[in-house]
Amino acid sequence: MRCLTKDTVLNILIYQGSAIAANKAANLAQVQRISHSASLLGADAVVFPELFTTGYNLGAQLRSLAEPLQGDSFHQLADMARRYQLSIIIGLPETDAGKLYNSAIVIDKQGQLAGHHRKVFLFGNQEKQLFTAGTRFQTFELCGHTCGLSICYDIEFPESTRTLAQQGAKLLFNPTANMTPYYQVPNTLARARALENGLTVVYANLCGQEGDLHYTGQSALIAPDGTDIARAGNDPCLLMADVSAYLQQDSGRRWSTQLQDLKEWQQHG
């Protein structure tokens, strides 16, 4: 039985693909197929893009598709996590007290909710009119590793990842729905967040077309020195790598001189 533990192999698999608009049953069936494949490939965790259970570009229709945090979709995902003995990280629309949130969850291999994030930085007028913004960035433990969770546009703000790094995160999961023409986000900003904080970034994007949006793809696992461990192109794919070597306690010091100098400045400034 696999477990995400320190000093062991930690294989993370990203699914880069398209969701079927407004069809939760079909998207959950796809999650199950990919999770089964991930398990056969030896993955410990599988990561899906932003709002993958429903599709992203649906406007007000998301209100009728949203569920409470631990609604029916959660229970189906939890069953998959237990069955395939891996963690599932995925974006979904959440409703709570009459408010709609763009959320992401982490379900561990026991089928328990390990992490939960509501998108803080909402992108564009449509998101701001539709969703209520989250208010915080918080870490969670996944079998001995301190991790962070953010969603898409959150990663474009240095403060978001720095907040998680200051809480001890060594691994950041970022389900996203990044669209053209914003190729600088996966290729520049996601790499910068890894380098300036000495942590590993898991950037899981959509690809293809959904309505009038064209997604950039370019999903990646990014090392703490800002270089790619693995990088997708523009087409559907599975992307997997072992990130265990990058999660050591001193990784920030090894990868970035700025982090050590910043720490000294904070202590003596």
Side-chain angles (χ1 to χ4, degrees):
M1 183 180 295
R2 294 189 308 277
C3 184
L4 310 190
T5 57
K6 294 179 180 178
D7 302 321
T8 62
V9 171
L10 176 51
N11 286 318
I12 295 178
L13 184 144
I14 294 172
Y15 172 67
Q16 177 174 287
S18 302
I20 298 176
N23 193 330
K24 284 192 284 188
N27 293 324
L28 289 168
Q30 179 72 332
V31 172
Q32 181 168 351
R33 288 190 291 270
I34 297 302
S35 297
H36 186 199
S37 297
S39 179
L40 294 175
L41 290 168
D44 299 291
V46 57
V47 190
F48 295 88
E50 180 178 6
L51 294 177
F52 189 78
T53 62
T54 57
Y56 171 83
N57 191 25
L58 299 176
Q61 190 176 5
L62 284 168
R63 294 189 183 279
S64 62
L65 294 167
E67 300 175 18
L69 179 59
Q70 298 196 30
D72 182 64
S73 292
F74 172 86
H75 291 296
Q76 291 187 56
L77 292 164
D79 286 342
M80 296 176 207
R82 286 191 293 266
R83 183 183 315 160
Y84 299 118
Q85 284 293 283
L86 46 68
S87 297
I88 297 174
I89 297 94
I90 191 167
L92 75 176
E94 175 196 353
T95 184
D96 182 25
K99 296 180 179 180
L100 181 65
Y101 296 93
N102 183 334
S103 296
I105 58 173
V106 181
I107 302 174
D108 66 22
K109 68 177 186 178
Q110 285 81 34
Q112 300 299 310
L113 182 68
H116 171 226
H117 175 68
R118 292 168 171 172
K119 190 173 185 178
V120 172
F121 292 104
L122 300 176
F123 178 76
N125 290 331
Q126 182 169 311
E127 280 198 12
K128 291 173 182 175
Q129 292 170 4
L130 185 61
F131 297 108
T132 297
T135 58
R136 58 182 177 171
F137 294 93
Q138 56 188 350
T139 58
F140 60 93
E141 295 295 317
L142 200 59
C143 286
H145 294 292
T146 302
C147 305
L149 189 60
S150 64
I151 300 173
C152 197
Y153 194 40
D154 287 336
I155 206 170
E156 298 188 38
F157 296 83
E159 295 81 0
S160 61
T161 307
R162 180 55 56 85
T163 297
L164 291 165
Q166 288 174 337
Q167 296 177 50
K170 295 296 181 183
L171 182 61
L172 173 65
F173 295 100
N174 185 258
T176 185
N178 187 66
M179 68 288 289
T180 60
Y182 304 113
Y183 283 96
Q184 74 274 19
V185 180
N187 292 311
T188 301
L189 297 181
R191 287 169 171 154
R193 298 297 89 86
L195 175 60
E196 66 195 6
N197 293 289
L199 50 68
T200 299
V201 171
V202 181
Y203 184 89
N205 196 16
L206 295 165
C207 66
Q209 182 174 353
E210 185 183 17
D212 59 347
L213 297 183
H214 296 261
Y215 298 109
T216 63
Q218 303 294 311
S219 296
L221 295 112
I222 305 170
D225 65 352
T227 61
D228 291 342
I229 303 168
R231 171 76 60 169
N234 300 323
D235 299 318
C237 73
L238 299 178
L239 195 68
M240 189 170 82
D242 173 19
V243 302
S244 57
Y246 304 99
L247 302 181
Q248 303 305 313
Q249 200 64 33
D250 65 343
S251 63
R253 183 174 300 181
R254 288 189 295 119
W255 299 113
S256 173
T257 60
Q258 296 100 320
L259 284 175
Q260 182 60 27
D261 291 336
L262 176 62
K263 182 178 180 180
E264 292 178 1
W265 176 80
Q266 289 173 330
Q267 289 174 341
H268 303 109

